[in-house]
Every structure is written in C-alpha cells, then in structure tokens.
Amino acid sequence: QPRAAHPFLPIYHIIGNVTTDERGVVTSVEDINDVSSVFLYKGIYHVFHQCCQNHWDHVISKDLTHWTRLPPPIVPNMNPTGVPQENWYDAHGSWDGSLSVPHEWNGLTEPVVIMTTVEGSKPTERRRAHSGDASAVGMAVGMAVVRPSDPSDPFLVNWTKDANNPIQFESGAITSPYDTPGQVWRNGDHWNFLVLGSRYTTQDPSFHTWRLAPQKFAAF
C-alpha cells in the first residue's frame, strides 16, 4: 500500500524476519509482539521485544536507522542463549517481562530481566507421569530472572537464566502469563516492581524471593 495510506506509520520499523520465495515475493513475516525494553548501552541502541507468543527477540543499532537482528536472547529450554537445556519453568514460553538497565535511580549495577513464564511439568511430576499418574501433567505460570552472560559486551548477545529460577512468592503469586512485571527499582533497603498496578517488594538482592506489598490505594 502507498505511504499516503498510512499517515501515522513511523518511517523506521522494527519488524520480524521476512521470508521470500525464489521470485523475491514475501511469503511470511515473523510476528513481533510487546516491546520489553528500548535503551542505549555502551554506545549501542537495543530493542528487546516479544516474538511469536513464545520467546524474546533482539535488534541493535548505532544510529536508530540501520538495524541488525541478533539471535533470540531468551528462548524456552535454552540456557544460556543458544544452549539447549531442559528448563521446566519456562518449557511452554518465555513470556512478557521487563529488561531493567543500570541507572542512578534504580540502584542496578548490571542489566537484569524479570519475566513471566509458562511452566511445563516439574521434574518430580514428569517422574510421576512416566509411572502412569495422569494427574501429574499440568501447566501453570511463574516468573524467572535472566541476566547477561557478559555484562561488558556492548551488544549483550548472550543471556543466562539464573540457576535458582523460578522466583518464589511469599504472597501474591501470579496466576496469568499476562501478569507482566515492570522495571525494577530500589528504594532504601528494598527492591520493587509493578504488576498491573500492584507493587511487589523484596530485600533479596538476587531477586528470587518477592512478596506483594500492602496496597495503599483502593481500586475503583
């Protein structure tokens, strides 16, 4: 369609991988979804976004005009990037989340991702299922922490899921993969993030134990 038919369409786009046939005709465009972070890190602009209702994708630029797509940074059953590993807690999806980068206001020293996950069967449940216990097979949601394998890399190519995933909730455990965590920030001796307006807090510097903070405002 002509550009005039889309007056509000931005000039520059972040799009999914484009597949063409031998004649150069586009046969498919990879779906992209929610943006998880846009930031400048060590001179490189980054866009991390959801793709295919399953994993994260990653593109980089030096000038915000020319973009290069890197390997997907977070994928189910991969840890670190590109390395196969059986991770039950995100077996059915490394979903939405937020990538927080170091700033004075948030107290971080390196980038960190907190994301929702769609779980598969836990190892103990798989053993029960193999023994014939059909009630052991189920699907639930949770959250996980992911960090850059090498924070000194300006391209942030490789990411590794924390060994002690998934996150444990002392209260307020999430129930939907759409319960998306926001940016992490520090306030005094505790850390926080928001999920749909509800604040979660922790004093655990590893970000693996959280609780729902008291809500001071009623919803109308």
Side-chain angles (χ1 to χ4, degrees):
Q1 291 178 317
R3 176 74 175 83
H6 301 276
F8 300 109
L9 195 66
I11 296 174
Y12 302 115
H13 309 269
I14 304 300
I15 65 174
N17 292 320
V18 178
T19 302
T20 60
D21 61 18
E22 64 278 0
R23 298 169 297 167
V25 176
V26 175
T27 57
S28 67
V29 178
E30 180 185 55
D31 292 337
I32 65 172
N33 205 343
D34 304 336
V35 173
S36 300
S37 195
V38 180
F39 61 94
L40 177 66
Y41 188 76
K42 298 183 182 296
I44 303 294
Y45 293 97
H46 297 259
V47 176
F48 287 78
H49 66 83
Q50 279 285 299
C51 178
C52 310
Q53 293 288 347
N54 173 270
H55 66 271
W56 289 45
D57 265 8
H58 182 194
V59 292
I60 59 171
S61 174
K62 287 187 175 181
D63 58 9
L64 296 176
T65 303
H66 305 88
W67 293 88
T68 299
R69 184 167 293 281
L70 297 182
I74 306 174
V75 179
N77 296 321
M78 294 286 179
N79 188 30
T81 302
V83 178
Q85 178 175 322
E86 190 173 8
N87 291 321
W88 65 269
Y89 58 84
D90 73 337
H92 294 294
S94 303
W95 270 49
D96 282 334
S98 293
L99 192 162
S100 303
V101 293
H103 286 288
E104 291 182 3
W105 63 269
N106 64 20
L108 293 174
T109 59
E110 66 180 33
V112 63
V113 166
I114 295 182
M115 66 175 183
T116 53
T117 61
V118 181
E119 299 176 356
S121 298
K122 298 180 182 179
T124 54
E125 292 173 343
R126 286 198 296 272
R127 287 194 292 271
R128 287 165 52 203
H130 291 161
S131 68
D133 184 355
S135 66
V137 181
M139 186 181 298
V141 297
M143 285 190 184
V145 180
V146 192
R147 306 177 195 272
S149 306
D150 179 10
S152 67
D153 174 19
F155 301 105
L156 295 174
V157 174
N158 287 299
W159 291 74
T160 302
K161 300 167 187 172
D162 279 8
N164 52 342
N165 280 331
I167 288 173
Q168 302 298 315
F169 289 95
E170 296 176 350
S171 62
I174 65 170
T175 58
S176 166
Y178 299 103
D179 291 342
T180 303
Q183 297 266 321
V184 173
W185 81 94
R186 188 170 187 170
N187 184 15
D189 64 351
H190 60 279
W191 305 82
N192 310 272
F193 65 75
L194 297 177
V195 174
L196 299 177
S198 296
R199 181 171 65 90
Y200 287 76
T201 186
T202 187
Q203 291 180 302
D204 173 12
S206 73
F207 300 155
H208 279 276
T209 304
W210 294 82
R211 62 180 175 85
L212 184 63
Q215 305 300 302
K216 296 184 178 180
F217 301 98
F220 294 94

